Amino acid sequence: MYNNENVILNQCPNTGKDSLNAISIRDLNVFADKTQILKSLNIDIPKHKITVILGPSGCGKTTLLKSMNRLTDLYKALEVSGQICIHGEDILLSHKDMSALRQKTGLLSQKPYPLPVSLYKNITYGPKLKGIKNKKILDKIVTRQLKEVGLWEEVKDRLNASPDCLSIGQQQRLCLARGLAVKPSIILADEPTSALDPTSSQIIEKQFMKIKKTYTIVLVTHVVRQAMRLADYVVFMHNGEIIETGGVEIFKNPKTDQMKEYLINGN
Amino acid sequence: MRHIKYTEQAFFKFLTGFACYSVIGILCLIISIIFIKGVGSLSWEMISQAPKGGYYYGGDGGVLNAILGSLYVAGGAVLIAIVLGAPAALFINSFLFRYKRLQNIIRYFLDALWGIPSIVYGAFGFTIMLYFGMNASLLAGIITVACLITPIMIRSFDEVLSTIPTGLHEAALSLGSTRTELAFKVIFKQGLPGFVTAILLAFGRGIGDAASVLFTAGYTDQLPSGLHEPAATLPLAIFFQLSSPIPEVRGRAYSAAAILTCIILAITLISRLLVNKYSKNNLK
Ligand SMILES: Nc1ncnc2c1ncn2[C@@H]1O[C@H](COP(=O)(O)OP(=O)(O)O)[C@@H](O)[C@H]1O
Ligand SMILES: [Mg+2]
């Protein structure tokens, strides 16, 4: 349904290997029926950094995140237009291989949703879809990913158990491990600690700080303190619009009234 | 104040407990009456032979014809209902997701179909049967019972699908599943216990229904011999024998009822065990 000439005219901003940006978003608009949820967003998300998308509930953070791996397709009411370039490719255009596209990004949602299979199979689900069948390789992946999220010591004796026997915090780390197992380059995290106790939240935050060397992390949160702890780059949203962007210094010197107000209320 | 609160709590505890236990009690009462009245005539012969001449006057034979007939009718109908119901439920649940109004109207109609008395289905099946020039037969019985239980199946599947959170769909898709992999590797497993319950519910309704098979499946003392031959069913066997003036035959009606109850209990039990075992194997 798209115009081929447009593709050539609106070339993708550079998000390839040599670029500093992992994701470039240009003129992103999302409509739900007739209301506009996201209003002409332009964002460049830096590689191997934590980009925090901050804003009050209902401002469109989740919708923005879901557009980045086309989960918006699930909601027929949503109409997405514009450009989202990942690895030099506009993902809003490509209709070919959604699996491959989604495997470039790992998703961590507000609540953990473990698959209805064992801990082991939760981790191997993605790699198996990629065609990895060798038991030894799968074993290695499971060990490596569980260690990466600090869950290995807690579950190594019961890899065949159901995820139901884990606490919510452990389940969330399992979901992170499961997402990392498909070797994405980008992690999309939607308020990943909002359902967790402070200790579990801290563990997840620590994991993020640890893995940002190798992954680009986009973290959605409405918690100012969390944003201050983790952010390398901040995108402040309000009502479907980007109000302010910048490095951590914008917490000290917010330019806009909305951001000032939000920071005051959030602290 | 504390005292009032305590009394109130005790009262509600009593009320809820009473309701729960009286339902269980009535159920036990029904089952025990059936078994007590039926145990006298329950024998190996009863479940291993078809009626012989003079059976309905207290002569030799059993109700194997009706046992097999019932299993065939209910089994066949359940198969048809699954084949029609599973895709229909999926359609209502996912493809009509966008059209909430239409979705609700369809659900409303299915619920209404659920409430229609089975004799209406029987009459409907009978009309269709005559229209196509068929005789009362196993096939006509299966089709009629399938009409009766398909709405139940669709709505129960639909309810199970609705309980599966969107977050799980999103999780599976974001790991790279296609829609088919999502359906078979995740949704199916997650919903399995619910699906089995739905199938059992439909099977129970199908095997226990007399009115829908009265005109359509017919009745015969022969073992069911083909789709186009009439077939006996347990509910009708109970009905015919209960209306007999001979006490011995009435006793057999109760044993037939006990057999029907046992079949339903056994199938429930076996499928529960299978679900448990399957879920466990799943986790290896
Ligand atoms: N599938 C949808 N259909 C219609 N409206 C939606 C849908 N998803 C989100 N919205 C609307 O978009 C707005 C932003 O939602 P969301 O992105 O979830 O905000 P946030 O994550 O910042 O709380 C809300 O007003 C919400 O009602
Ligand atoms: Mg949200």
Side-chain angles (χ1 to χ4, degrees), chain A residues 64-100:
Chain A
L64 172 58
L65 208 64
K66 282 183 183 168
S67 328
M68 292 188 213
N69 67 352
R70 294 272 302 262
L71 279 180
T72 38
D73 291 10
L74 280 185
Y75 305 89
K76 306 271 164 56
L78 297 184
E79 221 168 282
V80 184
S81 64
Q83 243 188 354
I84 298 180
C85 294
I86 298 179
H87 299 329
E89 183 193 9
D90 185 353
I91 62 154
L92 293 183
L93 293 182
S94 62
H95 291 259
K96 2 164 194 148
D97 193 351
M98 289 309 286
S99 303

Side-chain angles (χ1 to χ4, degrees), chain B residues 4 53 63 68 122 125 131-132 140 167 191 194 196 208 217 231:
Chain B
I4 294 178
V63 290
L68 287 183
Y131 181 80
F132 284 106
V196 170

Side-chain angles (χ1 to χ4, degrees), chain A residues 66 69 71 74-76 99 102-103 105 107 113-118 121 125-126 129 160 162 178-179 182, chain B residues 94 97-98 165-179 181 185-186 189-190 282-284:
Chain A
K66 282 183 183 168
N69 67 352
L71 279 180
L74 280 185
Y75 305 89
K76 306 271 164 56
S99 303
R102 289 197 176 116
Q103 288 193 331
T105 57
L107 177 79
Y113 289 103
L115 303 172
V117 290
S118 67
K121 282 194 171 174
Y125 185 85
L129 290 180
N160 291 327
S162 148
R178 174 182 75 180
V182 297
Chain B
S94 53
F97 186 72
R98 186 184 195 172
T166 331
L168 188 62
H169 292 227
E170 293 181 354
L173 287 176
S174 70
L175 289 171
S177 323
T178 61
R179 293 234 171 208
E181 284 158 346
K185 294 192 172 163
V186 178
K189 272 182 194 164
Q190 178 84 6
N282 229 353
L283 297 180
K284 288 261 160 76

Side-chain angles (χ1 to χ4, degrees), chain A residues 122-190:
Chain A
N122 259 280
I123 310 276
T124 57
Y125 185 85
K128 272 188 181 164
L129 290 180
K130 278 186 155 180
I132 301 175
K133 293 208 180 70
N134 188 318
K135 178 91 170 76
K136 270 192 194 144
I137 298 180
L138 290 174
D139 281 348
K140 241 187 219 159
I141 292 177
V142 170
T143 317
R144 188 186 59 219
Q145 294 314 333
L146 286 176
K147 280 185 177 158
E148 192 168 9
V149 300
L151 199 58
W152 175 250
E153 288 303 321
E154 292 158 61
V155 303
K156 65 178 179 202
D157 305 322
R158 42 177 176 154
L159 291 177
N160 291 327
S162 148
D164 295 337
C165 67
L166 300 184
S167 74
I168 298 288
Q170 289 173 320
Q171 286 184 14
Q172 191 64 308
R173 278 185 280 152
L174 176 73
C175 290
L176 179 58
R178 174 182 75 180
L180 296 180
V182 297
K183 293 196 162 290
S185 55
I186 297 164
I187 309 283
L188 305 174
D190 189 359

